[in-house]
Amino acid sequence: MNYRHIYHAGNFADVLKHLVLSRLIVYLQQKDKAFRVLDTHAGIGLYDLSSEEAQKTGEWLEGIGKVIDAELPEKVAEIMAPYLDVVKALNPGRETGGPLQKYPGSPKLARDLFRPQDRLSAMELHPEDSRVLSRLFEGDFQVRVTELDGWLTLNAHLPPKEKRGIVLVDPPFEEEGEYERLVDGLAKAHRRFANGVYCLWYPIKKGAPIKEFHEALQALEIPKMLCAELHVKSDRDQTGLSGTGLVIVNPPFTLKDEMHLALPELKRLMAQDRYASHRCFWLRGEE
């Protein structure tokens, strides 16, 4: 309940997470049929990078600040265009030399990529943040904001009535046992909505049980699970995040190749020391 994403908005973890979310949305839009994005830990939706909180940490300077104007290889630029175009559209003043001031959270990014038939269910437990999110989408019939513990969503709101969708699970990892909750939540959700596309975020830092987390996911025996990780620095003598990871269940067949192109560029742009690295591999599935 104390977590505030404004301190971290636009950091390297957001860049990877939002790039992948944009690719999932673009892929589902290859069919005309509607789909729903269910965002279990939605936050406030839109972040002011000029705020005191964002300026205090400056994390976005090492994230979106490194990426937004970077020269990219042609294919990587195409992969990143839907995501970066949303960010640029929120900052029209930059065309005349103004600063980067606004950054979309996942619900705003998804909404700005939607077609008229697509829908968003955004869950946020914190009362104040939920009110801010509701005001952001007030009057928007394509978005439903609910003040609710996102973990409960994985039972109560699946499957979506559209029978197609993306479930983004992005908990703050403030409490002990969040890796286990992520595994349990996926197991419950997958039983209800087996053909859904799931995107699960997890932090990488010193002492994090990543190996055990991956093994627990593999034990679920869900047929297709892709993992993408970006390490921006060594975790030696570090207390904060050194990397970020995503597990994508039922990923588009194009996603692994896209990550193999994009991850080296993200590492190049956002590396904080010489130990930066990346990997993309199947936890279960194609290989």
Side-chain angles (χ1 to χ4, degrees):
M1 292 292 288
N2 294 320
Y3 179 82
R4 285 293 189 276
H5 192 66
I6 182 59
Y7 291 100
H8 314 289
N11 69 1
F12 70 89
D14 266 3
V15 171
L16 178 58
K17 176 179 64 181
H18 291 151
L19 171 60
V20 170
L21 178 61
S22 73
R23 299 315 304 168
L24 300 179
I25 290 171
V26 167
Y27 181 79
L28 263 63
Q29 288 175 340
Q30 291 182 8
K31 294 184 178 180
D32 290 337
K33 189 178 179 183
F35 63 87
R36 183 173 297 269
V37 172
L38 198 156
D39 192 339
T40 64
H41 298 76
I44 63 173
L46 184 62
Y47 297 92
D48 182 0
L49 299 180
S50 66
S51 68
E52 180 180 349
E53 296 91 342
Q55 292 292 319
K56 183 177 180 178
T57 61
E59 288 188 19
W60 65 273
L61 293 168
E62 298 293 327
I64 189 61
K66 297 283 190 180
V67 174
I68 189 70
D69 292 320
E71 290 191 16
L72 298 167
E74 183 178 355
K75 289 187 177 180
V76 178
E78 291 175 2
I79 291 167
M80 297 191 67
Y83 159 51
L84 293 180
D85 285 351
V86 169
V87 180
K88 291 173 182 178
L90 292 170
N91 294 275
R94 294 184 66 259
E95 296 179 0
T96 55
L100 187 66
Q101 289 188 306
K102 301 294 183 183
Y103 186 79
S106 48
K108 177 64 173 171
L109 174 66
R111 178 62 184 92
D112 285 3
L113 290 172
F114 276 178
R115 307 163 301 177
Q117 64 266 44
D118 302 326
R119 298 292 184 267
L120 169 67
S121 292
M123 312 297 164
E124 176 52 50
L125 178 60
H126 196 288
E128 181 182 343
D129 288 358
S130 182
R131 286 193 291 270
V132 172
L133 188 64
S134 294
R135 288 197 295 271
L136 178 65
F137 293 116
E138 187 173 5
D140 189 338
F141 71 91
Q142 289 183 249
V143 179
R144 181 175 65 196
V145 176
T146 305
E147 185 181 321
L148 182 69
D149 184 346
W151 294 111
L152 300 177
T153 303
L154 299 177
N155 268 333
H157 290 257
L158 294 176
K161 66 179 182 179
E162 294 83 2
K163 308 302 182 185
R164 300 179 73 221
I166 300 164
V167 181
L168 176 64
V169 188
D170 178 22
F173 278 82
E174 282 189 304
E175 301 176 6
E176 292 292 327
E178 291 285 64
Y179 291 94
E180 292 81 2
R181 291 183 77 184
L182 205 50
V183 174
D184 292 343
L186 175 61
K188 293 174 182 176
H190 190 263
R191 286 195 290 269
R192 297 180 62 90
F193 186 36
N195 65 333
V197 178
Y198 295 84
C199 185
L200 316 178
W201 177 79
Y202 59 95
I204 300 173
K205 55 186 177 181
K206 188 174 183 178
I210 305 302
K211 181 175 182 292
E212 295 80 2
F213 173 58
H214 287 171
E215 289 173 349
L217 287 169
Q218 289 170 330
L220 298 179
E221 298 187 351
I222 293 172
K224 290 188 178 182
M225 289 191 286
L226 185 69
C227 183
E229 290 185 347
L230 175 66
H231 302 248
V232 297
K233 58 185 176 182
S234 167
D235 65 2
R236 291 183 294 182
D237 303 320
Q238 298 286 346
T239 56
L241 287 186
S242 59
T244 181
L246 296 169
V247 172
I248 305 96
V249 175
N250 296 327
F253 74 94
T254 54
L255 186 62
K256 189 168 188 281
D257 287 342
E258 290 175 347
M259 289 298 100
H260 277 306
L261 290 171
L263 281 170
E265 291 299 312
L266 295 182
K267 187 199 81 168
R268 176 180 68 84
L269 294 168
M270 298 190 293
Q272 296 178 23
D273 67 24
R274 63 189 179 92
Y275 297 102
S277 63
H278 61 84
R279 59 178 183 159
C280 184
F281 61 97
W282 290 101
L283 277 174
R284 284 186 65 89
E286 297 292 318
E287 294 176 352

PDB file of all heavy atoms in Angstrom, residues 9-32:
ATOM      1  N   ALA A   9       8.959   5.473 -12.479  1.00  0.00           N
ATOM      2  CA  ALA A   9       8.341   5.533 -13.806  1.00  0.00           C
ATOM      3  C   ALA A   9       9.371   5.855 -14.878  1.00  0.00           C
ATOM      4  O   ALA A   9      10.195   6.759 -14.724  1.00  0.00           O
ATOM      5  CB  ALA A   9       7.235   6.590 -13.819  1.00  0.00           C
ATOM      6  N   GLY A  10       9.316   5.073 -15.959  1.00  0.00           N
ATOM      7  CA  GLY A  10      10.217   5.306 -17.079  1.00  0.00           C
ATOM      8  C   GLY A  10      11.608   4.743 -16.892  1.00  0.00           C
ATOM      9  O   GLY A  10      12.484   4.994 -17.730  1.00  0.00           O
ATOM     10  N   ASN A  11      11.818   3.955 -15.831  1.00  0.00           N
ATOM     11  CA  ASN A  11      13.151   3.377 -15.631  1.00  0.00           C
ATOM     12  C   ASN A  11      13.381   2.213 -16.592  1.00  0.00           C
ATOM     13  O   ASN A  11      12.531   1.885 -17.422  1.00  0.00           O
ATOM     14  CB  ASN A  11      13.367   2.965 -14.174  1.00  0.00           C
ATOM     15  CG  ASN A  11      12.509   1.778 -13.739  1.00  0.00           C
ATOM     16  OD1 ASN A  11      11.743   1.209 -14.521  1.00  0.00           O
ATOM     17  ND2 ASN A  11      12.636   1.401 -12.486  1.00  0.00           N
ATOM     18  N   PHE A  12      14.536   1.568 -16.489  1.00  0.00           N
ATOM     19  CA  PHE A  12      14.876   0.521 -17.460  1.00  0.00           C
ATOM     20  C   PHE A  12      13.888  -0.633 -17.420  1.00  0.00           C
ATOM     21  O   PHE A  12      13.604  -1.260 -18.447  1.00  0.00           O
ATOM     22  CB  PHE A  12      16.309   0.024 -17.238  1.00  0.00           C
ATOM     23  CG  PHE A  12      16.515  -0.777 -15.978  1.00  0.00           C
ATOM     24  CD1 PHE A  12      16.336  -2.147 -15.979  1.00  0.00           C
ATOM     25  CD2 PHE A  12      16.903  -0.160 -14.799  1.00  0.00           C
ATOM     26  CE1 PHE A  12      16.529  -2.899 -14.823  1.00  0.00           C
ATOM     27  CE2 PHE A  12      17.105  -0.890 -13.639  1.00  0.00           C
ATOM     28  CZ  PHE A  12      16.908  -2.264 -13.643  1.00  0.00           C
ATOM     29  N   ALA A  13      13.341  -0.923 -16.228  1.00  0.00           N
ATOM     30  CA  ALA A  13      12.356  -2.004 -16.125  1.00  0.00           C
ATOM     31  C   ALA A  13      11.073  -1.650 -16.856  1.00  0.00           C
ATOM     32  O   ALA A  13      10.473  -2.502 -17.530  1.00  0.00           O
ATOM     33  CB  ALA A  13      12.067  -2.304 -14.647  1.00  0.00           C
ATOM     34  N   ASP A  14      10.640  -0.403 -16.742  1.00  0.00           N
ATOM     35  CA  ASP A  14       9.462   0.040 -17.485  1.00  0.00           C
ATOM     36  C   ASP A  14       9.683  -0.053 -18.985  1.00  0.00           C
ATOM     37  O   ASP A  14       8.786  -0.426 -19.744  1.00  0.00           O
ATOM     38  CB  ASP A  14       9.104   1.482 -17.110  1.00  0.00           C
ATOM     39  CG  ASP A  14       8.068   1.571 -16.012  1.00  0.00           C
ATOM     40  OD1 ASP A  14       7.645   0.528 -15.488  1.00  0.00           O
ATOM     41  OD2 ASP A  14       7.665   2.712 -15.686  1.00  0.00           O
ATOM     42  N   VAL A  15      10.868   0.318 -19.437  1.00  0.00           N
ATOM     43  CA  VAL A  15      11.140   0.297 -20.878  1.00  0.00           C
ATOM     44  C   VAL A  15      10.954  -1.102 -21.438  1.00  0.00           C
ATOM     45  O   VAL A  15      10.263  -1.300 -22.452  1.00  0.00           O
ATOM     46  CB  VAL A  15      12.553   0.833 -21.175  1.00  0.00           C
ATOM     47  CG1 VAL A  15      12.911   0.597 -22.650  1.00  0.00           C
ATOM     48  CG2 VAL A  15      12.642   2.320 -20.850  1.00  0.00           C
ATOM     49  N   LEU A  16      11.552  -2.104 -20.793  1.00  0.00           N
ATOM     50  CA  LEU A  16      11.405  -3.465 -21.298  1.00  0.00           C
ATOM     51  C   LEU A  16       9.959  -3.945 -21.175  1.00  0.00           C
ATOM     52  O   LEU A  16       9.408  -4.515 -22.123  1.00  0.00           O
ATOM     53  CB  LEU A  16      12.334  -4.416 -20.550  1.00  0.00           C
ATOM     54  CG  LEU A  16      12.232  -5.893 -20.977  1.00  0.00           C
ATOM     55  CD1 LEU A  16      12.528  -6.063 -22.458  1.00  0.00           C
ATOM     56  CD2 LEU A  16      13.154  -6.769 -20.139  1.00  0.00           C
ATOM     57  N   LYS A  17       9.354  -3.719 -20.025  1.00  0.00           N
ATOM     58  CA  LYS A  17       7.979  -4.168 -19.805  1.00  0.00           C
ATOM     59  C   LYS A  17       7.027  -3.550 -20.824  1.00  0.00           C
ATOM     60  O   LYS A  17       6.187  -4.250 -21.412  1.00  0.00           O
ATOM     61  CB  LYS A  17       7.537  -3.797 -18.390  1.00  0.00           C
ATOM     62  CG  LYS A  17       6.089  -4.129 -18.061  1.00  0.00           C
ATOM     63  CD  LYS A  17       5.762  -3.753 -16.621  1.00  0.00           C
ATOM     64  CE  LYS A  17       5.877  -2.270 -16.405  1.00  0.00           C
ATOM     65  NZ  LYS A  17       5.575  -1.873 -15.001  1.00  0.00           N
ATOM     66  N   HIS A  18       7.156  -2.262 -21.058  1.00  0.00           N
ATOM     67  CA  HIS A  18       6.217  -1.585 -21.954  1.00  0.00           C
ATOM     68  C   HIS A  18       6.502  -1.886 -23.419  1.00  0.00           C
ATOM     69  O   HIS A  18       5.581  -1.916 -24.240  1.00  0.00           O
ATOM     70  CB  HIS A  18       6.236  -0.083 -21.672  1.00  0.00           C
ATOM     71  CG  HIS A  18       5.652   0.259 -20.340  1.00  0.00           C
ATOM     72  ND1 HIS A  18       6.027   1.355 -19.597  1.00  0.00           N
ATOM     73  CD2 HIS A  18       4.701  -0.390 -19.606  1.00  0.00           C
ATOM     74  CE1 HIS A  18       5.334   1.382 -18.473  1.00  0.00           C
ATOM     75  NE2 HIS A  18       4.523   0.329 -18.457  1.00  0.00           N
ATOM     76  N   LEU A  19       7.755  -2.136 -23.742  1.00  0.00           N
ATOM     77  CA  LEU A  19       8.052  -2.594 -25.099  1.00  0.00           C
ATOM     78  C   LEU A  19       7.362  -3.926 -25.364  1.00  0.00           C
ATOM     79  O   LEU A  19       6.704  -4.111 -26.404  1.00  0.00           O
ATOM     80  CB  LEU A  19       9.559  -2.725 -25.295  1.00  0.00           C
ATOM     81  CG  LEU A  19       9.995  -3.402 -26.603  1.00  0.00           C
ATOM     82  CD1 LEU A  19       9.501  -2.635 -27.823  1.00  0.00           C
ATOM     83  CD2 LEU A  19      11.508  -3.586 -26.642  1.00  0.00           C
ATOM     84  N   VAL A  20       7.502  -4.867 -24.436  1.00  0.00           N
ATOM     85  CA  VAL A  20       6.881  -6.183 -24.623  1.00  0.00           C
ATOM     86  C   VAL A  20       5.362  -6.055 -24.654  1.00  0.00           C
ATOM     87  O   VAL A  20       4.700  -6.668 -25.508  1.00  0.00           O
ATOM     88  CB  VAL A  20       7.340  -7.156 -23.521  1.00  0.00           C
ATOM     89  CG1 VAL A  20       6.507  -8.434 -23.556  1.00  0.00           C
ATOM     90  CG2 VAL A  20       8.817  -7.487 -23.703  1.00  0.00           C
ATOM     91  N   LEU A  21       4.778  -5.269 -23.755  1.00  0.00           N
ATOM     92  CA  LEU A  21       3.322  -5.084 -23.763  1.00  0.00           C
ATOM     93  C   LEU A  21       2.856  -4.542 -25.107  1.00  0.00           C
ATOM     94  O   LEU A  21       1.848  -5.006 -25.666  1.00  0.00           O
ATOM     95  CB  LEU A  21       2.909  -4.143 -22.639  1.00  0.00           C
ATOM     96  CG  LEU A  21       1.417  -3.805 -22.557  1.00  0.00           C
ATOM     97  CD1 LEU A  21       0.562  -5.047 -22.334  1.00  0.00           C
ATOM     98  CD2 LEU A  21       1.154  -2.770 -21.461  1.00  0.00           C
ATOM     99  N   SER A  22       3.577  -3.585 -25.654  1.00  0.00           N
ATOM    100  CA  SER A  22       3.186  -3.027 -26.954  1.00  0.00           C
ATOM    101  C   SER A  22       3.242  -4.075 -28.048  1.00  0.00           C
ATOM    102  O   SER A  22       2.376  -4.125 -28.928  1.00  0.00           O
ATOM    103  CB  SER A  22       4.072  -1.828 -27.313  1.00  0.00           C
ATOM    104  OG  SER A  22       5.384  -2.226 -27.674  1.00  0.00           O
ATOM    105  N   ARG A  23       4.246  -4.959 -27.999  1.00  0.00           N
ATOM    106  CA  ARG A  23       4.350  -6.010 -29.017  1.00  0.00           C
ATOM    107  C   ARG A  23       3.208  -7.015 -28.885  1.00  0.00           C
ATOM    108  O   ARG A  23       2.697  -7.523 -29.895  1.00  0.00           O
ATOM    109  CB  ARG A  23       5.696  -6.742 -28.916  1.00  0.00           C
ATOM    110  CG  ARG A  23       6.933  -5.882 -29.120  1.00  0.00           C
ATOM    111  CD  ARG A  23       6.832  -4.941 -30.298  1.00  0.00           C
ATOM    112  NE  ARG A  23       6.548  -5.646 -31.554  1.00  0.00           N
ATOM    113  CZ  ARG A  23       6.192  -5.050 -32.668  1.00  0.00           C
ATOM    114  NH1 ARG A  23       6.032  -3.725 -32.697  1.00  0.00           N
ATOM    115  NH2 ARG A  23       5.965  -5.743 -33.773  1.00  0.00           N
ATOM    116  N   LEU A  24       2.801  -7.327 -27.666  1.00  0.00           N
ATOM    117  CA  LEU A  24       1.678  -8.237 -27.466  1.00  0.00           C
ATOM    118  C   LEU A  24       0.392  -7.647 -28.026  1.00  0.00           C
ATOM    119  O   LEU A  24      -0.398  -8.331 -28.686  1.00  0.00           O
ATOM    120  CB  LEU A  24       1.513  -8.551 -25.979  1.00  0.00           C
ATOM    121  CG  LEU A  24       2.698  -9.224 -25.280  1.00  0.00           C
ATOM    122  CD1 LEU A  24       2.377  -9.454 -23.808  1.00  0.00           C
ATOM    123  CD2 LEU A  24       3.095 -10.524 -25.958  1.00  0.00           C
ATOM    124  N   ILE A  25       0.177  -6.361 -27.768  1.00  0.00           N
ATOM    125  CA  ILE A  25      -1.030  -5.698 -28.259  1.00  0.00           C
ATOM    126  C   ILE A  25      -1.040  -5.654 -29.781  1.00  0.00           C
ATOM    127  O   ILE A  25      -2.052  -5.977 -30.432  1.00  0.00           O
ATOM    128  CB  ILE A  25      -1.137  -4.278 -27.667  1.00  0.00           C
ATOM    129  CG1 ILE A  25      -1.448  -4.361 -26.167  1.00  0.00           C
ATOM    130  CG2 ILE A  25      -2.206  -3.452 -28.386  1.00  0.00           C
ATOM    131  CD1 ILE A  25      -1.363  -3.034 -25.443  1.00  0.00           C
ATOM    132  N   VAL A  26       0.071  -5.268 -30.369  1.00  0.00           N
ATOM    133  CA  VAL A  26       0.153  -5.192 -31.835  1.00  0.00           C
ATOM    134  C   VAL A  26      -0.115  -6.557 -32.456  1.00  0.00           C
ATOM    135  O   VAL A  26      -0.802  -6.665 -33.491  1.00  0.00           O
ATOM    136  CB  VAL A  26       1.539  -4.642 -32.254  1.00  0.00           C
ATOM    137  CG1 VAL A  26       1.775  -4.843 -33.742  1.00  0.00           C
ATOM    138  CG2 VAL A  26       1.654  -3.168 -31.893  1.00  0.00           C
ATOM    139  N   TYR A  27       0.398  -7.592 -31.832  1.00  0.00           N
ATOM    140  CA  TYR A  27       0.198  -8.938 -32.384  1.00  0.00           C
ATOM    141  C   TYR A  27      -1.272  -9.337 -32.320  1.00  0.00           C
ATOM    142  O   TYR A  27      -1.819  -9.855 -33.317  1.00  0.00           O
ATOM    143  CB  TYR A  27       1.048  -9.951 -31.613  1.00  0.00           C
ATOM    144  CG  TYR A  27       0.908 -11.358 -32.151  1.00  0.00           C
ATOM    145  CD1 TYR A  27       1.596 -11.747 -33.299  1.00  0.00           C
ATOM    146  CD2 TYR A  27       0.074 -12.278 -31.536  1.00  0.00           C
ATOM    147  CE1 TYR A  27       1.457 -13.031 -33.809  1.00  0.00           C
ATOM    148  CE2 TYR A  27      -0.065 -13.567 -32.029  1.00  0.00           C
ATOM    149  CZ  TYR A  27       0.627 -13.935 -33.174  1.00  0.00           C
ATOM    150  OH  TYR A  27       0.478 -15.200 -33.678  1.00  0.00           O
ATOM    151  N   LEU A  28      -1.937  -9.103 -31.200  1.00  0.00           N
ATOM    152  CA  LEU A  28      -3.351  -9.475 -31.093  1.00  0.00           C
ATOM    153  C   LEU A  28      -4.214  -8.671 -32.058  1.00  0.00           C
ATOM    154  O   LEU A  28      -5.286  -9.127 -32.466  1.00  0.00           O
ATOM    155  CB  LEU A  28      -3.849  -9.297 -29.659  1.00  0.00           C
ATOM    156  CG  LEU A  28      -3.857 -10.587 -28.809  1.00  0.00           C
ATOM    157  CD1 LEU A  28      -2.465 -11.141 -28.634  1.00  0.00           C
ATOM    158  CD2 LEU A  28      -4.529 -10.348 -27.460  1.00  0.00           C
ATOM    159  N   GLN A  29      -3.753  -7.503 -32.446  1.00  0.00           N
ATOM    160  CA  GLN A  29      -4.529  -6.674 -33.363  1.00  0.00           C
ATOM    161  C   GLN A  29      -4.423  -7.129 -34.810  1.00  0.00           C
ATOM    162  O   GLN A  29      -5.056  -6.542 -35.690  1.00  0.00           O
ATOM    163  CB  GLN A  29      -4.084  -5.210 -33.229  1.00  0.00           C
ATOM    164  CG  GLN A  29      -4.546  -4.584 -31.916  1.00  0.00           C
ATOM    165  CD  GLN A  29      -4.031  -3.186 -31.705  1.00  0.00           C
ATOM    166  OE1 GLN A  29      -3.041  -2.772 -32.319  1.00  0.00           O
ATOM    167  NE2 GLN A  29      -4.672  -2.443 -30.823  1.00  0.00           N
ATOM    168  N   GLN A  30      -3.666  -8.178 -35.069  1.00  0.00           N
ATOM    169  CA  GLN A  30      -3.636  -8.730 -36.425  1.00  0.00           C
ATOM    170  C   GLN A  30      -4.969  -9.376 -36.789  1.00  0.00           C
ATOM    171  O   GLN A  30      -5.261  -9.561 -37.969  1.00  0.00           O
ATOM    172  CB  GLN A  30      -2.497  -9.738 -36.548  1.00  0.00           C
ATOM    173  CG  GLN A  30      -1.116  -9.103 -36.484  1.00  0.00           C
ATOM    174  CD  GLN A  30       0.001 -10.107 -36.649  1.00  0.00           C
ATOM    175  OE1 GLN A  30      -0.239 -11.277 -36.957  1.00  0.00           O
ATOM    176  NE2 GLN A  30       1.227  -9.675 -36.449  1.00  0.00           N
ATOM    177  N   LYS A  31      -5.769  -9.725 -35.799  1.00  0.00           N
ATOM    178  CA  LYS A  31      -7.129 -10.209 -36.036  1.00  0.00           C
ATOM    179  C   LYS A  31      -8.116  -9.114 -35.671  1.00  0.00           C
ATOM    180  O   LYS A  31      -7.892  -8.346 -34.741  1.00  0.00           O
ATOM    181  CB  LYS A  31      -7.407 -11.465 -35.207  1.00  0.00           C
ATOM    182  CG  LYS A  31      -6.586 -12.675 -35.614  1.00  0.00           C
ATOM    183  CD  LYS A  31      -6.990 -13.905 -34.813  1.00  0.00           C
ATOM    184  CE  LYS A  31      -6.201 -15.125 -35.255  1.00  0.00           C
ATOM    185  NZ  LYS A  31      -6.584 -16.350 -34.488  1.00  0.00           N
ATOM    186  N   ASP A  32      -9.233  -9.039 -36.390  1.00  0.00           N
ATOM    187  CA  ASP A  32     -10.211  -7.983 -36.151  1.00  0.00           C
ATOM    188  C   ASP A  32     -10.939  -8.143 -34.820  1.00  0.00           C
ATOM    189  O   ASP A  32     -11.411  -7.159 -34.249  1.00  0.00           O
ATOM    190  CB  ASP A  32     -11.251  -7.959 -37.275  1.00  0.00           C
ATOM    191  CG  ASP A  32     -10.671  -7.468 -38.593  1.00  0.00           C
ATOM    192  OD1 ASP A  32      -9.643  -6.763 -38.556  1.00  0.00           O
ATOM    193  OD2 ASP A  32     -11.236  -7.797 -39.646  1.00  0.00           O
TER     194      ASP A  32
END
